[in-house]
Amino acid sequence: MTHPSLPVLRPGHGKPRGASPFAASAPSILLALGYALALVVWLVAGDVLPGGRTFAIHLFTLGVLTNLVLTFSEHFARTVTRTPGERAWWWPLVTNLGILLVLVGLPGRSAPAVAAGSLVLIGTVTAAYVRLRRMRRAAVGARFAWIVRIYERAHGAFLHGAFFGGLLGIGVLTGSWFAATRVAHLHANVLGWGGLTLLATLVFFGPTMARTRIEPGADERAARLLRHGATGLGVAIVLLFLAGVGGAWGTALHVTAGVGLAVYALAATLVCLPVGRAVWGARVTAARPLVLGVCLWFPLVAWADAVVVATEAWRWLDALGVAALTGVLAQAIAATLVYLAPMLRGRSTGSRETVRIRLEVGARTRAVAIGVGVLLCVLGAARLGDLPLLGAGWTLLIATLLVTVAQALWPLRETAPQTG
């Protein structure tokens, strides 16, 4: 069986191209990729490295997710509100100072490092929240200003999550309060910080990545749905924390939190459906199958989470976490970076077209491999750490990631045009 070779640039395809509109996001994207490589090392090494595989979760949520959410929410907020300019160049440096302090402090249980890092991150995200709010208020009549409002809600979720994470990291909580705060922390970071940002962006950027258009009226419906979904999630996060009181009150709070999460799940479902339908009918692009995967996994994870919380079936929480991190957030990140790679990698029209064609080679196969890898990881986590399943799942996901990176970074050879 033969496979198409990676294309190279042809004569006459070297026409210079202007800078990518995402050029200002490149430093944060590179930092996120660096954390992703560290994540791969921690997943492969298992418990040999400090913090073990549990530490890998923080490499993803802090190192990869936080860098990307901050830079893309800023970029898209400026786009939809038509606000010129970019963040100051030193913002990613300050953000990653906070991230590194937390990451260094966690394995060694260094309360001062965790507390300092949390404070830096809270300050950075608060400043980003203020910028978003100012942009939205100044953009009177902007059709997609509601997207920025959801970004603000996502930033608010991060601040809650950082506060809870700081409490967990410095070791002031024990017993039922520790468990309740951990659950609230996970929901704030995964469904709030990552999930709300993704849902708001998916409405317009999901179809864009598949080179198609969203269904008429889907954006207006999403604006209403996500407002209610964000409120349901916010209430649920607070109730999950308060459930640390335990006993009958704790059970009642979990049931009520499950209702709030069901509102969030309904919003996620009704946002993903029209995006999925639009993308399904589009031509094949490198990002299209990944966007479809996100639209499938997100509602499943959200509804399952509402049931798990309401019934206190905590043995399934780790499996849901794996599904959310890999099937939803990681797949969405992969789709975004695959879409942006030609613009960030190529410096001319021909070079960008070369990278785009390369990434379309095997796009369906990569998406299927990711889907199977996610399923194996989820099944392994559901069986309380079934190592063969987990190992196979992580191996498939890591191998697919490395192949994709290789396709994007394969050297570009530009052939000089022949002269008579």
Side-chain angles (χ1 to χ4, degrees):
M1 181 177 178
T2 60
H3 296 275
S5 60
L6 294 176
V8 297
L9 293 179
R10 301 301 181 193
H13 281 206
K15 182 180 178 181
R17 188 76 177 263
S20 164
F22 292 92
S25 300
S28 293
I29 292 174
L30 290 175
L31 286 166
L33 289 175
Y35 286 111
L37 291 176
L39 168 64
V40 169
V41 172
W42 252 262
L43 288 174
V44 171
D47 295 328
V48 175
L49 296 175
R53 286 197 174 96
T54 302
F55 183 71
I57 297 174
H58 291 93
L59 281 172
F60 180 80
T61 56
L62 285 176
V64 178
L65 188 62
T66 296
N67 270 298
L68 295 180
V69 167
L70 282 173
T71 192
F72 285 130
S73 59
E74 176 99 12
H75 172 83
F76 288 127
R78 290 185 181 277
T79 299
V80 300
T81 61
R82 304 191 180 191
T83 304
E86 294 288 348
R87 295 186 295 175
W89 63 269
W90 45 267
W91 275 109
L93 300 180
V94 175
T95 300
N96 283 274
L97 171 63
I99 290 172
L100 289 173
L101 283 171
V102 174
L103 292 177
V104 169
L106 283 175
R109 299 183 182 277
S110 173
V114 172
S118 297
L119 288 174
V120 171
L121 287 172
I122 287 172
T124 301
V125 175
T126 300
Y129 172 88
V130 172
R131 286 199 303 274
L132 292 174
R133 192 173 181 84
R134 286 175 177 170
M135 282 188 271
R136 177 174 60 84
R137 289 186 166 182
V140 179
R143 176 183 175 186
F144 292 104
W146 65 267
I147 291 173
V148 186
R149 184 68 186 96
I150 301 302
Y151 287 165
E152 293 171 38
R153 302 289 291 271
H155 281 57
F158 177 90
L159 296 177
H160 284 84
F163 173 71
F164 293 144
L167 292 178
L168 294 170
I170 62 179
V172 298
L173 299 171
T174 58
S176 62
W177 283 106
F178 180 91
T181 305
R182 177 178 176 271
V183 174
H185 170 71
L186 290 173
H187 280 79
N189 284 333
V190 177
L191 296 185
W193 181 229
L196 286 176
T197 302
L198 171 57
L199 286 171
T201 307
L202 193 64
V203 174
F204 69 97
F205 197 54
T208 297
M209 287 190 285
R211 298 187 178 183
T212 188
R213 293 180 180 274
I214 191 65
E215 295 178 356
D219 53 331
E220 291 89 346
R221 292 193 297 272
R224 296 191 301 271
L225 290 164
L226 289 181
R227 184 172 67 251
H228 298 309
T231 300
L233 177 63
V235 170
I237 290 170
V238 174
L239 294 178
L240 287 172
F241 171 68
L242 295 176
V245 69
W249 279 105
T251 299
L253 289 169
H254 282 139
V255 172
T256 311
V259 174
L261 291 172
V263 174
Y264 176 89
L266 179 61
T269 302
L270 296 179
V271 167
C272 287
L273 276 176
V275 175
R277 285 194 297 262
V279 173
W280 178 264
R283 64 175 291 271
V284 175
T285 65
R288 174 181 172 269
L290 298 173
V291 176
L292 287 173
V294 173
C295 292
L296 173 65
W297 277 103
F298 205 142
L300 292 176
V301 169
W303 282 112
D305 181 64
V307 173
V308 165
V309 168
T311 60
E312 298 182 312
W314 303 120
R315 71 178 297 270
W316 304 107
L317 191 62
D318 286 344
L320 280 176
V322 170
L325 293 176
T326 57
V328 180
L329 297 178
Q331 194 162 201
I333 290 170
T336 303
L337 296 184
V338 162
Y339 175 77
L340 295 181
M343 288 181 274
L344 295 174
R345 180 83 172 87
R347 295 178 179 271
S348 67
T349 301
S351 60
R352 291 182 181 182
E353 184 68 7
T354 295
V355 177
R356 183 188 66 78
I357 295 172
R358 285 179 179 180
L359 289 171
E360 287 183 359
V361 174
R364 288 194 185 99
T365 303
R366 291 198 308 271
V368 170
I370 289 174
V372 173
V374 170
L375 186 59
L376 290 174
C377 288
V378 171
L379 291 175
R383 294 173 60 179
L384 303 180
D386 187 299
L387 291 181
L389 286 175
L390 283 171
W394 287 124
T395 300
L396 193 53
L397 289 174
I398 290 170
T400 306
L401 169 66
L402 294 178
V403 168
T404 305
V405 170
Q407 286 180 287
L409 298 183
W410 196 269
L412 296 170
R413 303 196 307 272
E414 186 162 7
T415 307
Q418 297 179 352
T419 58

